[in-house]
Amino acid sequence: YALDTETGAKEWNFTTGDRVVASPTVVNGTVFIGSEDETMYALDADTGQKEWDYAAGDSVKGSATVVNGIVYFGTNFNKKIHAVDAETGSVEWTATASSYVQSSPTVKNGTVYIGSNGDAVHALDADTGSYVWNYTTDGVVQSSPTVAGGTVYVGSGGTKLHAIDADTGSLKWDYDTGDGVKSSPTVK
């Protein structure tokens, strides 16, 4: 749904073939939204008309990230990370994660950082999808990584917040919260 921020009146809605559990991403007048109907959609932000759709092969539970004209997102059971052209919906590359991907990616300095339910954070080259490094956590990673000052911050379903070197994938420190961390960290 697109609602007027002043009045709350509906401007348009778009129906997918199944539930939408991720937040939409809006870039340059296009809404990117994944669905459990195994599709990533690009919609005109003003009208809600479909610009393209991409068959992802499995449900899309995390939000898309759009950087330099590429839409990055993960899919659930097929364990894929996708890079799709934002204008056309054509595939640039796909990579396989260690397990289900419900995390939303973060792209910084040419690297895609994304968590998986395989107790891991993956770093991939944004242009090619080849792996830069993998870091094993103490539980599933459904939170989205935050990258600041050369460090990747991410929570895990174990009990820790991890601070990982963005270039090497080595642990800088971790903090035991006493419970699983599903929300995404913020750095001031």
Side-chain angles (χ1 to χ4, degrees), residues 9 11 17 33 38-39 44 58-59 62 81 86 93 99 120 151 179 181:
E11 294 185 357
I33 188 71
E38 303 184 353
T39 307
D44 182 284
D58 206 343
S59 61
I81 303 163
W93 55 259
S99 186
T151 302
D179 203 351
V181 180

Side-chain angles (χ1 to χ4, degrees), residues 2 12 29-31 42-52:
W12 56 261
T30 301
V31 178
L43 311 174
D44 182 284
D46 291 327
T47 66
Q49 293 298 305
K50 182 173 70 173
E51 295 176 358
W52 53 258

Side-chain angles (χ1 to χ4, degrees), residues 12-56:
W12 56 261
N13 70 283
F14 181 84
T15 302
T16 68
D18 205 336
R19 295 183 316 160
V20 174
V21 296
S23 300
T25 301
V26 181
V27 176
N28 296 330
T30 301
V31 178
F32 301 95
I33 188 71
S35 171
E36 289 191 345
D37 70 359
E38 303 184 353
T39 307
M40 175 59 68
Y41 295 93
L43 311 174
D44 182 284
D46 291 327
T47 66
Q49 293 298 305
K50 182 173 70 173
E51 295 176 358
W52 53 258
D53 60 29
Y54 169 78

